[in-house]
Amino acid sequence: MLYDCIIIGGGIAGTQAAIQLGRYSTHRILVIDAGHGRSSICHTYHNIIGWPEGVTGEHLRKVGQEQAESLGAEYIQDTVMEAARDGERFVVTTGTGKRFSAHTILLATGMLDRYPDIPGLQHALGYSVYICPDCDGYEIIDRKTVLIGSGEHASGMAVLLAERTPHLTYVNHDREPIEDRLLKHLQKIGVDYEEQRVTEVRADEHRELQAIVLEDGRVLEAERGFIAFSGKHVRTELAEQLGVTLESNRHVKTDPRTKMTDVEGVWAAGDIGLHSELSTIAMGEGTQAAIWIHKKLRKIHKSE
């Protein structure tokens, strides 16, 4: 079957796009989702309208898929390994050897954060240990908070978080060097600094952070935490295969109005793009891309 649009990635951006495209009632849509991503990790989105008590990424993915499928979108769980143009069409090949073709492609493959394998961290991650200061900075207001990270990359986040709480400790887990001027600035704004590895993250049965244990055996009590490590993996391998131009940080630059890349027929939305990495922005970009994909498909079908 020739699809009108193949959406690669079933997270927030990809599923929102599938819902919007489905509501046009005229398109054959396939969503290929590997089944994991940033939205799978976050368990407490508090910045989405209508969810003041928080909503999990897993729940949004689940109900979003159900909504998209009710509008005719097809979902398969697989990983796209190859993507290429074949004349006026695009062909993708999955890890299980399946091949699908479409008039258009939306890349919503997202990105993955790097974080070390610290015992207990995974238990609290997405509940009381966060990644994005724009999303979750509100959660640490006046609370005892630890930032576990690496070098100057995390020192920048420490400055942002210090605006939310006077009880912040930055632990340079990777012991990467930091310029003296930055250390002095952290000291000036009241951030405590430790340069040693974290050996354990302690959280209770409700995944509420209690403390972290340092390499020297000291236990630092904390109510909330953040992680900030360099080396995030932006999943733009398929974009490269399709000839899409990447920025120096490997993110995809898209037309701000249409979200189309510099390759005709290929769109991108969500965290692989150049924008603030919020779920709400990913939703908007998914919808925005879908509107313009629909415009493109109308032209294609009129010419057939």
Side-chain angles (χ1 to χ4, degrees):
M1 176 187 291
L2 174 64
Y3 290 92
D4 287 311
C5 183
I6 293 177
I7 300 172
I8 305 175
I12 303 298
T15 292
Q16 189 68 59
I19 290 170
Q20 181 65 31
L21 281 171
R23 288 175 60 84
Y24 290 115
S25 305
T26 57
H27 304 312
R28 298 180 297 274
I29 308 153
L30 175 64
V31 181
I32 305 176
D33 182 35
H36 57 82
R38 255 186 167 185
S39 57
S40 302
I41 296 173
C42 186
H43 301 284
T44 51
Y45 286 119
H46 286 102
N47 62 335
I48 297 176
I49 188 170
W51 299 96
E53 300 303 318
V55 60
T56 70
E58 182 180 3
H59 177 74
L60 291 176
R61 289 171 66 99
K62 178 179 180 295
V63 299
Q65 178 175 337
E66 291 171 354
Q67 185 175 353
E69 288 177 330
S70 74
L71 295 166
E74 299 177 37
Y75 272 70
I76 65 168
Q77 185 167 327
D78 209 335
T79 301
V80 176
M81 305 302 293
E82 297 178 5
R85 183 185 287 277
D86 181 13
E88 296 299 313
R89 302 173 179 178
F90 297 95
V91 177
V92 303
T93 305
T94 71
T96 58
K98 297 176 182 177
R99 288 168 60 87
F100 303 96
S101 59
H103 290 299
T104 62
I105 283 183
L106 172 60
L107 299 172
T109 44
M111 63 185 294
L112 287 177
D113 298 275
R114 181 181 74 86
Y115 51 88
D117 185 19
I118 301 173
L121 175 58
Q122 192 68 45
H123 178 66
L125 191 61
Y127 291 92
S128 55
V129 177
Y130 311 107
I131 296 171
C132 172
D134 292 313
C135 303
D136 297 306
Y138 180 86
E139 308 305 321
I140 71 167
I141 291 177
D142 294 332
R143 291 189 169 188
K144 189 174 290 185
T145 303
V146 291
L147 169 62
I148 306 170
S150 59
E152 294 182 2
H153 178 79
S155 67
M157 184 182 287
V159 172
L160 293 176
L161 297 180
E163 296 175 358
R164 299 296 191 123
T165 178
H167 316 293
L168 178 65
T169 300
Y170 166 33
V171 182
N172 187 353
H173 176 83
D174 284 349
R175 299 191 184 94
E176 290 187 1
I178 301 178
E179 291 185 22
D180 286 342
R181 64 177 182 83
L182 295 177
L183 289 174
K184 289 178 180 178
H185 181 62
L186 292 178
Q187 184 180 26
K188 181 179 179 181
I189 62 177
V191 177
D192 293 331
Y193 177 74
E194 298 282 350
E195 191 171 299
Q196 57 177 301
R197 298 182 70 80
V198 178
T199 59
E200 183 184 358
V201 172
R202 294 178 179 175
D204 64 18
E205 66 274 17
H206 302 294
R207 303 179 187 260
E208 292 288 316
L209 184 63
Q210 303 292 301
I212 63 170
V213 182
L214 301 180
E215 194 172 32
D216 64 6
R218 283 182 295 141
V219 177
L220 301 183
E221 294 183 355
E223 300 170 272
R224 292 290 183 265
F226 267 85
I227 57 172
F229 290 89
S230 57
K232 295 178 181 179
H233 174 57
V234 188
R235 292 169 158 170
T236 46
E237 293 84 359
L238 297 176
E240 282 188 296
Q241 292 178 20
L242 290 165
V244 172
T245 301
L246 303 184
E247 296 297 308
S248 58
N249 62 1
R250 294 194 58 79
H251 285 267
V252 175
K253 185 177 182 179
T254 59
D255 182 282
R257 185 182 183 200
T258 68
K259 308 314 300 178
M260 193 170 77
T261 70
D262 59 352
V263 173
E264 183 71 26
V266 179
W267 278 259
D271 286 349
I272 66 169
L274 284 169
H275 67 75
S276 181
E277 298 155 8
L278 274 72
S279 57
T280 47
I281 291 178
M283 289 179 188
E285 288 196 348
T287 300
Q288 190 177 357
I291 290 170
W292 287 90
I293 291 170
H294 169 64
K295 293 177 185 292
K296 172 72 172 179
L297 291 172
R298 288 182 69 240
K299 292 180 181 179
I300 290 173
H301 291 317
K302 283 183 178 180
S303 65
E304 290 179 340

